[in-house]
Amino acid sequence: MSRVGILMGSANDYEIMKAAEDALAELGVSSEVRVISAHRTPERLVRFLESAEDEDIGVVICGAGMSAHLAGVTAAHTTLPVLGVPIDASPLNGLDALLSTVQMPGGIPVATFGIGRSGAKNAGLFAAAILAGSDPELRKRLEQLRADQSAKVPERP
Ligand code: RP5
């Protein structure tokens, strides 16, 4: 089964991006977690993407805060699906990262998720849903996870 690359602009983003790693692990999908900044370590990003397909990476999740260019630059270098997670890391509370990530020019798509932990979790689940398109067993695990989630919701408060 393909793996998921989880990139983040700073080690400080990990407490948020761990939600993506955890969601994937719960579904039995392994991930490759790296600190790679579009601004501070641009060569590291290019090196990672050059070998990503050979390393069986099927989807790349990118979390970044502030003037967040990680997902966009990643998408510029690969045709793998790129999922962007804006992180609240500035006085603008993540709105800066959301707008930087979501407003891509036509031709270079980034699927953008909500700001913060729930966005990271959903990016993990979405990456699994993409991989499940060619993996019926993973599809079954996703369906089971939804059923378990529904069963945990009480009928009354
Ligand atoms: C972004 O700048 C990172 O993704 C991080 O969210 C933010 C701040 O980085 P640090 O200064 O905390 O390393 O590139």
Side-chain angles (χ1 to χ4, degrees):
M1 188 206 305
S2 289
R3 298 178 303 137
V4 174
I6 301 178
L7 314 184
M8 61 208 75
S10 166
N12 294 328
D13 298 332
Y14 183 56
E15 74 168 296
I16 300 295
M17 294 309 293
K18 193 175 181 311
E21 185 184 20
D22 290 346
L24 288 162
E26 200 178 339
L27 288 162
V29 179
S30 54
S31 52
E32 186 67 41
V33 182
R34 300 282 182 87
V35 177
I36 296 181
S37 165
H39 304 124
R40 293 168 175 159
T41 63
E43 296 85 4
R44 199 184 292 179
L45 177 60
V46 172
R47 276 201 306 276
F48 177 85
L49 293 171
E50 275 171 357
S51 61
E53 287 184 54
D54 290 342
E55 305 269 333
D56 205 22
I57 301 288
V59 182
V60 185
I61 299 173
C62 297
M66 304 189 81
S67 209
H69 295 117
L70 182 59
V73 176
T74 296
H77 283 284
T78 182
T79 54
L80 292 171
V82 176
L83 318 186
V85 179
I87 291 178
D88 172 2
S90 83
L92 297 181
N93 303 122
L95 188 58
D96 42 4
L98 172 65
L99 297 179
S100 301
T101 305
V102 78
Q103 203 62 36
M104 288 295 292
I108 306 293
V110 168
T112 304
F113 288 78
I115 298 168
R117 193 166 281 107
S118 60
K121 178 176 184 175
N122 280 344
L125 294 172
F126 198 85
I130 292 171
L131 298 181
S134 57
D135 185 335
E137 290 304 314
L138 177 55
R139 171 80 54 209
K140 278 188 206 151
R141 295 200 291 280
L142 263 173
E143 284 164 2
Q144 187 60 51
L145 186 134
R146 291 287 181 94
D148 293 347
Q149 184 169 258
S150 296
K152 283 183 198 150
V153 179
E155 293 275 353
R156 293 187 180 79

